[in-house]
Amino acid sequence: MTNENSQVVKDMPKATWREWLGLVPLTLALFMLATDMTILFLAMPSIAADLAPSATQMLWIIHIGELLAVGFFLTMGRLGDRIGRKRLLIIGVTVYGLASVVAAFSTESWMLIASRALLGVASATVMPSTMSLLRNMFFDQKQFSVAIAIIMSSYSAGMALGPPIGGILLDHFWWGAVFLVNVPAVLVLLVTAPLLPEYSDKNSPRMDLVSVLLSSLALITFIYALQEMASHGLNILYFGLIAFSIAVGFLFINRQTRTKEPLLDLSMFKTRVLTYSLIARVFLSLLIVGESMLFAQHLQVIGLSPTEAGLLLIIPAIFSIAGTLVSPLLTRWMRPTYAMVSNLLIAGLGTLLLALTVHTADIVLLMIGASLMGIGVGPTITIASDQIISSVPQERAGTASALSDVSSGLGSVLSIAIIGSVGMLIYRWNLTDVMPTGMQPEIASSAMESVGTALAVSDGLPEMLQAVRFSSTVALQSVYGLVTVGFAALIIFVLWKLRNIR
């Protein structure tokens, strides 16, 4: 770093009490989105009993929000840079609150699907606005790193507390309460929004609607095809949709190189830090989302109730939050690359421990392994997000934040499609071999559909239940072995491509 650059860093203004108080609405926004992601799964049985949706409608209720969110992240990030990040956040949060009320009082499946779609579009405005606003509030890099850590820890807290909150609400109220819980959070956020600064790029070109259409179509089609593959298996139609989405993606990229008003400035990818940090985010999400879903399911396989499993999952979440809050200190003591690698090693040790011990069903060992993963993954995501947003000029922070969200969303969908499918394939192979003789065909067929269905149909059938537990455990053990290898590969990638980051 030159003396001139060092002087610029020293002259950066420090954040005041107003900026630190401004973290209240931002952390609340991410906490609200995170709880919504985990709380819906608990409510689905109650929703199914009340609205009687078809199997296809059930999938749309679950997935349409994430589908549209990832599809519109890039557009909303760019829109926030143009019209104002604070303004877009207020609009998005307001729509989110109204859509939550409509969802809570939905009387038909289509009504709930429509409100979930609106929630997805609204969340696409909240995430990029929240992260990019930090660039306007914390110019000092050390303070910016602390702010990122606080923001990300609120997201981890929301993910952890979603199931317990959902369980309490469902025990005492109807399923709509899991949506109405967003309304007080929205009101508090709107009241505290004046603490936030406004930023817009007055020289930003107007939105290219053709680019918006191409980017959204490519992302939505791609994610939809992957989700359908994860739910229904391989199908030539889904491969066709993936090919179509890739073709549309190429059209989008080609238009960005030709138009004078690109939605995505491709020159941003010349920055190695941005490009390789985005790739690391994709692979990290790919490694952790699918296994987390299988791990939560495994806790019920070994005999815990959903409430007990949800409470236990708070333990690794607490360690993840602690690790996230410590990440600014790590990047002061060592280069970001070495901090990421150190934490990836810890996460890899956690998955290795789980791969070696998951068959024993020892709760203590399971929690130690999951906690090691939490300690390692939380800071890695935070540091990668810090690098992504810090690597671009202030006027491109919204787009960079949106790219970070898109990479995380793509990794999550790929994880469910790949890791989830591998786990299910191994589960079915093993269950076929250990299926008790003389088992009724309808029970055997139901057990092959999913582990959750298998547990339901195995009630009162000890031999069948033992077969399901054995098959599920072998599948999870194999997945953890695969994820451990994935962490090793990610460590090599980070050391190779990000080694020169200071």
Side-chain angles (χ1 to χ4, degrees), residues 39 142 158 166 244 258 281 374:
I39 208 170
K142 291 181 179 179
F244 172 77
R258 294 172 179 268
R281 279 296 308 269

Side-chain angles (χ1 to χ4, degrees), residues 277-289:
S277 295
L278 286 172
I279 295 173
R281 279 296 308 269
V282 172
F283 277 98
L284 189 57
S285 295
L286 191 155
L287 291 174
I288 63 174
V289 173

Side-chain angles (χ1 to χ4, degrees), residues 140-408:
D140 179 78
Q141 182 58 42
K142 291 181 179 179
Q143 290 186 328
F144 180 74
S145 297
V146 172
I148 282 277
I150 293 172
I151 287 287
M152 297 306 294
S153 65
S154 72
Y155 192 81
S156 298
M159 293 288 287
L161 294 177
I165 292 173
I168 293 172
L169 291 173
L170 291 170
D171 284 342
H172 297 87
F173 305 99
W174 93 114
W175 59 265
V178 303
F179 293 103
L180 283 183
V181 74
N182 294 328
V183 176
V186 167
L187 293 176
V188 173
L189 197 152
L190 292 176
V191 169
T192 55
L195 293 169
L196 300 172
E198 182 57 285
Y199 174 87
S200 61
D201 182 7
K202 298 185 179 186
N203 298 320
S204 175
R206 58 191 178 88
M207 297 282 286
D208 178 23
L209 295 181
V210 176
S211 295
V212 169
L213 177 63
L214 290 174
S215 67
S216 300
L217 182 61
L219 287 168
I220 290 172
T221 306
F222 184 74
I223 293 171
Y224 171 75
L226 289 176
Q227 288 179 343
E228 291 299 296
M229 280 186 176
S231 300
H232 304 297
L234 302 181
N235 187 297
I236 190 171
L237 172 63
Y238 305 143
F239 283 113
L241 288 174
I242 289 176
F244 172 77
S245 68
I246 293 173
V248 175
F250 276 115
L251 289 176
F252 169 75
I253 292 172
N254 183 62
R255 184 171 181 83
Q256 304 317 291
T257 61
R258 294 172 179 268
T259 182
K260 295 180 180 179
E261 301 171 342
L263 178 66
L264 176 62
D265 184 1
L266 297 180
S267 65
M268 292 170 59
F269 293 99
K270 294 179 181 178
T271 307
R272 291 167 55 90
V273 177
L274 174 74
T275 302
Y276 295 131
S277 295
L278 286 172
I279 295 173
R281 279 296 308 269
V282 172
F283 277 98
L284 189 57
S285 295
L286 191 155
L287 291 174
I288 63 174
V289 173
E291 66 79 20
S292 298
M293 179 182 67
L294 295 175
F295 182 76
Q297 181 177 264
H298 180 73
L299 293 178
Q300 297 181 57
V301 169
I302 62 177
L304 299 180
S305 68
T307 302
E308 291 171 336
L311 291 174
L312 271 180
L313 289 173
I314 295 177
I315 297 174
I318 290 174
F319 280 96
S320 177
I321 294 169
T324 298
L325 292 174
V326 170
S327 60
L329 294 177
L330 295 178
T331 53
R332 293 184 191 182
W333 295 336
M334 63 183 80
R335 289 187 181 188
T337 300
Y338 300 148
M340 290 174 68
V341 167
S342 300
N343 285 290
L344 288 172
L345 281 171
I346 294 173
L349 287 174
T351 58
L352 180 61
L353 176 63
L354 288 168
L356 296 175
T357 62
V358 70
H359 63 281
T360 66
D362 188 300
I363 295 296
V364 174
L365 290 175
L366 292 178
M367 287 300 104
I368 291 174
S371 297
L372 286 173
M373 279 198 65
I375 292 172
V377 168
T380 305
I381 294 176
T382 304
I383 295 169
S385 301
D386 189 337
Q387 296 300 317
I388 291 168
I389 300 175
S390 300
S391 65
V392 299
Q394 184 174 345
E395 62 271 15
R396 290 287 176 265
T399 301
S401 176
L403 287 171
S404 178
D405 295 328
V406 169
S407 64
S408 178

